[in-house]
Amino acid sequence: EDKGLAHLKTVRFTAYPKPEKGKTPEPVEGTANEAEVRSSLSRLELIGKVHVYQGDATELRGERLVYDYKAGLLTSKEPVWMRHEQTFQEGQTLRYQVNEQNAHLNRPLLWQ
């Protein structure tokens, strides 16, 4: 077995993004039914009823999200729902840079 791989059930996590440009971003927190942690790749794959949030401003939901905590990148190849402050969005795929709070959604739906 790969010593850098752990499979977890009923997951609650807190990740601390690396500080950039002199400011420390809020921690990324979340829950999921399952998770696979691949420490050699700095990757956390969240599976089943995934809910990820960063402070009160940003929230993501989906069925499978991958968090590359070294790169500060959250991705999904499956439909996601996202809220940032008072704006709500849905999309078929997601690429979200945590530190920059920059999201790219494929086939997005947007409402306020």
Side-chain angles (χ1 to χ4, degrees):
E1 292 211 12
D2 182 1
K3 290 182 182 179
L5 172 65
H7 187 87
L8 308 168
K9 300 243 183 206
T10 313
V11 178
R12 179 179 301 271
F13 71 92
T14 302
Y16 298 91
K18 68 179 183 177
E20 288 189 4
K21 300 175 186 164
K23 61 181 183 178
T24 303
E26 289 189 69
V28 175
E29 300 177 78
T31 59
N33 289 346
E34 299 178 50
E36 283 192 359
V37 182
R38 295 183 186 274
S39 59
S40 61
L41 299 174
S42 301
R43 187 174 125 164
L44 173 64
E45 184 171 352
L46 302 159
I47 305 158
K49 294 186 182 178
V50 180
H51 180 206
V52 177
Y53 51 96
Q54 188 175 28
D56 293 331
T58 305
E59 178 181 9
L60 297 132
R61 292 181 187 265
E63 284 301 312
R64 184 178 294 261
L65 284 95
V66 176
Y67 180 42
D68 181 334
Y69 46 91
K70 187 174 183 181
L73 181 64
L74 190 62
T75 59
S76 178
K77 293 181 180 178
E78 296 185 18
V80 294
W81 174 93
M82 180 178 185
R83 177 186 62 81
H84 183 71
E85 296 176 354
Q86 299 302 316
T87 303
F88 299 84
Q89 303 171 52
E90 285 185 62
Q92 293 299 311
T93 63
L94 169 74
R95 184 175 171 86
Y96 178 69
Q97 287 292 140
V98 174
N99 286 349
E100 290 85 21
Q101 295 184 336
N102 184 6
H104 293 255
L105 290 162
N106 184 19
R107 296 199 322 191
L109 299 172
L110 171 68
W111 67 94
Q112 287 184 302

